[in-house]
Amino acid sequence: MVQEAVISITPLAAERAKEILERYNKPHAAIRVFVKSGGCSGYQYGMAVDERELEGDTTVEMHGVRLVVDRMSLPLLVGSQVDWVDNLMGGGFSINNPNATSSCGCGHSFRTDGRAPEGAGSGCRG
């Protein structure tokens, strides 16, 4: 039985991620995808190059890239897809999240239930 990945990455985003890992001379590191409180919609996405795997992390390998998600972020990211988009502001990673019920105009923050978590900011911080 094939199990659907809890988080996925498009081939284009995977290529860009590999380029970043090579640039930082960390080809065996993972891309950590996480969620934190903040942004104008309540939660904010984050991504980082990470060589560590922490207790409770979920790891998915796809298109030659490892994605790592911590246990607190996982419920908010299940079913999400990391993509790469080019626009007038340049290129960058984007997260297509089926759990988001609303999102900020800048695309870096989102809400899942119509309420912001405690301590959420009011400005769009991309």
Side-chain angles (χ1 to χ4, degrees):
M1 181 168 99
V2 175
Q3 182 179 359
E4 189 173 325
V6 293
I7 188 169
S8 62
I9 188 168
T10 65
L12 179 58
E15 286 305 313
R16 296 297 187 263
K18 286 189 251 184
E19 290 170 10
I20 290 168
L21 294 172
E22 289 291 333
R23 189 177 324 135
Y24 284 99
N25 199 25
K26 297 185 178 189
H28 302 293
I31 301 296
R32 181 170 293 279
V33 183
F34 57 93
V35 172
K36 62 182 179 178
S37 291
C40 52
S41 291
Y43 293 110
Q44 201 167 15
Y45 297 113
M47 295 178 71
V49 173
D50 199 340
E51 295 178 294
R52 307 166 300 152
E53 277 195 40
L54 306 174
E55 185 178 333
D57 279 350
T58 296
T59 303
V60 173
E61 189 159 341
M62 185 174 275
H63 305 298
V65 173
R66 279 186 310 122
L67 300 175
V68 178
V69 180
D70 66 87
R71 72 173 127 209
M72 299 298 284
S73 299
L74 187 62
L76 297 169
L77 291 171
V78 168
S80 294
Q81 181 182 57
V82 178
D83 196 5
W84 179 269
V85 294
D86 286 308
N87 58 35
L88 294 175
M89 300 298 288
F93 290 103
S94 174
I95 298 180
N96 301 315
N97 186 344
N99 304 303
T101 57
S102 67
S103 60
C104 180
C106 63
H108 293 279
S109 66
F110 68 101
R111 184 175 300 151
T112 58
D113 62 1
R115 293 177 310 192
E118 283 193 33
S122 59
C124 193
R125 291 174 255 167

